[in-house]
Amino acid sequence: MTGPLVKSQLIEGKLLGAETTFASHNPATGDLLGYAPDGTKADAETAVAAARRAFDNTDWPTNTQLRVRCLRQLHQALDEHREELRELTIAEVGAPRQLTHGPQLDEPIGIVKYYADLLETYDFTEDLGETTSRGQRHHRWVEKEAAGVVAAILPYNFPNQLALAKLAPALAAGCTVVLKGAPQTPLTTLALGELIAQHTDIPAGVVNVLSSSRAETGAVLTTHPDVDVVTFTGATTTGRRIMAAAADTVKRVFLELGGKSAMIVLEDADFAKAAMFAAFTICSHSGQGCALTSRLLVPRDQHDRIVQLVAAGMERVQVGDPTDPKTAMGPLISEAQRDKVDGMVQRAVAAGATLVRGGRRIDPGYFYEPTLLAGVDPDSEIAQEEVFGPVLAVIPFDDDEDAVRIANNSAFGLSGAVHSADEDRALRIARRIRTGTFSINGGNYFAPDVPFGGYKQSGIGRESGRSGFEEFLEEKAFARVVVSEEQS
């Protein structure tokens, strides 16, 4: 990439700038990457109005063939511009190149095809048959229809995956969308808007893509009476505020929030394999993943042995330039995030945790060493609060009951994992952990057809799969009197 990039917002089918812009920086170097329009409250209101008109006054919500065609066009455009998007994602998100061949880019492109395929086969009508009531026969059925205007608000960690996981099912359902990218990664999301405007037949106003550093733009999306659904991925604290803001107009709210997921290693597990999973998982995208297992629960009498295996695994994680195909872990998104992570590590050590390795900044850029804390108190801050950095807290347990208790000792319930030579035993434990997703012996549940979401304060609703599609549908029940031949 040469020279700073300049991107545009997509509002009512037009690619537009703004009176002011804000900068996006490369987190691996700190260098200026480009500029994004600093969208205003007025921009957000215009985008909502455009989405409302497109929903109310066009056939987008009812024209299934048009929606299938447009989704396939979007999939083709993403595929054809894949390498441009890859370089932008590496530069702005700080994602290692190897991660863009998975959940940062290549796998998310497949989400669009999944929903185009689903839309071609989905039955929007369910026949409930006849019943007798008040001396007459009645035929009942249910029709499913688009929920309306959707406000989709993104975080910075997986901007391609999260944008497409919200946008594709919403469009397939017949909704119109206002998509707001994260202020840390605006260019990546705006690039999606450019592809929609330039390479698809999606009608003006059906998709609007905003960028802004201003809190007021998000406030419009969560309070505007013309918004019917809010879907948000991000911190639980922000999710609570969105729920409160949406309450006045009783919007449907779908939230995918924080996590503090536990990986349980039972005494019969392959310790070396489990330690490798634990080390590489927490280092994936520098720990900036809400479903990553950031607590490692181990048998008390095997604590030190497993800690050393995990430490050895972390030593093998190549940290550095995300453009290098060999790099496994890149930078954190910003200096502010690195300060937060470092502060939590230092407080954990002061509270009694043992710093086995890491706990240091790496310059230039916003890198932080893979960090391992041992002997962690399960009630401490580092065991209870989301770090969003490459920090693993090891907690000893006494038996299966103790492991389940510690794993469930969390305000969150997004994901989890268990390792055991006895798969039936592992499954019994997995079923007792109150989380929305679970991995057994390294199993990978993450795919376009698998519903993803959490229990407790990890969120409301599910993303991906049929469940993710149906988040954007309303159900309308019908009944008619059945007139017999004698009556006719």
Side-chain angles (χ1 to χ4, degrees):
M1 297 181 184
T2 58
L5 298 172
V6 180
K7 295 288 184 182
S8 301
Q9 298 184 112
L10 175 61
I11 302 176
E12 201 161 16
K14 299 176 182 178
L15 292 170
L16 304 171
E19 291 184 2
T20 60
T21 61
F22 65 103
S24 177
H25 293 86
N26 184 325
T29 63
D31 294 341
L32 174 68
L33 180 60
Y35 296 95
D38 201 1
T40 62
K41 178 181 178 182
D43 290 332
E45 290 172 341
T46 301
V48 170
R52 185 81 260 167
R53 285 192 297 272
F55 186 82
D56 292 342
N57 302 328
T58 76
D59 69 344
W60 178 260
T62 57
N63 192 334
T64 302
Q65 290 184 339
L66 172 62
R67 300 203 304 272
V68 169
R69 183 174 84 242
C70 290
L71 284 168
R72 297 211 184 281
Q73 289 171 339
L74 177 57
H75 178 259
Q76 182 178 349
L78 290 164
D79 187 43
E80 291 176 351
H81 293 267
R82 184 186 301 258
E83 296 312 314
E84 298 165 40
L85 293 170
R86 191 182 316 282
E87 298 307 318
L88 178 56
T89 302
I90 293 168
E92 186 175 49
V93 184
R97 183 174 299 279
Q98 61 180 248
L99 200 61
T100 67
H101 291 284
Q104 281 286 6
L105 181 62
D106 288 356
E107 290 174 4
I109 289 175
I111 294 172
V112 182
K113 181 180 184 301
Y114 169 80
Y115 282 109
D117 292 344
L118 178 63
L119 181 55
E120 287 192 312
T121 61
Y122 189 84
D123 191 349
F124 287 85
T125 302
E126 180 184 2
D127 194 318
L128 300 180
E130 296 181 6
T131 189
T132 300
S133 175
R134 288 168 281 183
Q136 291 182 305
R137 297 289 293 172
H138 304 268
H139 175 224
R140 300 87 37 77
W141 72 98
V142 172
E143 294 181 4
K144 298 177 183 179
E145 59 186 33
V149 175
V150 174
I153 304 172
L154 307 179
Y156 62 77
N157 56 335
F158 287 84
N160 295 308
Q161 191 275 328
L162 290 163
L164 294 173
K166 296 180 188 302
L167 184 64
L171 295 180
C175 295
T176 58
V177 182
V178 181
L179 182 70
K180 180 184 176 295
Q184 298 91 340
T185 54
L187 305 180
T188 304
T189 305
L190 293 175
L192 175 60
E194 291 180 349
L195 292 181
I196 289 169
Q198 297 168 354
H199 299 282
T200 77
D201 296 327
I202 294 175
V206 168
V207 178
N208 306 270
V209 183
L210 304 179
S211 60
S212 181
S213 67
R214 311 166 193 255
E216 64 186 27
T217 57
V220 169
L221 301 184
T222 57
T223 60
H224 200 292
D226 283 339
V227 171
D228 301 294
V229 181
V230 177
T231 172
F232 167 78
T233 298
T236 296
T237 51
T238 306
R240 294 191 195 108
R241 292 197 297 270
I242 287 174
M243 285 189 73
D248 283 347
T249 49
V250 196
K251 301 186 192 305
R252 179 183 296 190
V253 178
F254 162 59
L255 304 173
E256 197 272 281
L257 305 176
K260 195 65 186 179
S261 303
M263 177 186 292
I264 300 171
V265 180
L266 300 179
E267 81 285 345
D268 62 350
D270 182 331
F271 290 165
K273 179 181 177 182
M276 178 194 71
F277 269 101
F280 278 82
T281 296
I282 196 61
C283 293
S284 177
H285 196 33
S286 304
Q288 298 171 116
C290 50
L292 298 179
T293 44
S294 55
R295 292 182 293 159
L296 180 62
L297 279 52
V298 302
R300 192 174 301 276
D301 61 357
Q302 298 294 332
H303 173 276
D304 293 350
R305 177 184 175 191
I306 295 174
V307 163
Q308 292 308 310
L309 288 170
V310 175
M314 284 186 169
E315 292 290 345
R316 295 170 56 192
V317 176
Q318 182 166 321
V319 181
D321 180 2
T323 65
D324 185 341
K326 296 179 181 178
T327 295
M329 188 182 114
L332 294 167
I333 192 65
S334 65
E335 186 64 31
Q337 181 61 21
R338 185 165 69 167
D339 286 345
K340 178 203 168 188
V341 171
D342 188 55
M344 292 186 75
V345 170
Q346 301 314 318
R347 291 195 297 276
V349 173
T354 300
L355 180 63
V356 178
R357 74 168 317 279
R360 291 188 293 269
R361 304 163 188 257
I362 306 173
D363 295 315
Y366 311 132
F367 294 87
Y368 198 78
E369 284 188 337
T371 299
L372 182 61
L373 295 166
V376 171
D377 180 344
D379 295 318
S380 64
E381 178 194 44
I382 202 71
Q384 291 291 320
E385 299 296 327
E386 189 171 44
V387 180
F388 234 54
V391 180
L392 184 63
V394 184
I395 303 170
F397 64 83
D398 296 319
D399 54 26
D400 289 8
E401 289 296 321
D402 196 33
V404 170
R405 180 189 63 79
I406 294 171
N408 282 329
N409 176 30
S410 173
F412 302 109
L414 190 54
S415 190
V418 63
H419 286 259
S420 172
D422 184 341
E423 194 162 286
D424 290 338
R425 179 187 178 196
L427 185 57
R428 287 195 300 272
I429 285 180
R431 285 177 171 148
R432 295 179 64 192
I433 310 301
R434 291 188 53 76
T435 65
T437 54
F438 215 90
S439 168
I440 296 172
N441 289 328
N444 179 28
Y445 53 79
F446 202 72
D449 60 338
V450 176
F452 178 81
Y455 290 21
K456 300 189 280 189
Q457 293 188 37
S458 284
I460 300 171
R462 292 295 181 269
E463 203 158 66
S464 299
R466 290 176 68 94
S467 299
F469 175 65
E470 290 171 347
E471 291 285 348
F472 299 104
L473 295 175
E474 290 280 13
E475 289 188 318
K476 183 181 292 184
F478 295 84
R480 64 177 179 85
V481 174
V482 179
V483 179
S484 67
E485 292 183 6
E486 291 79 8
Q487 294 172 308
S488 61

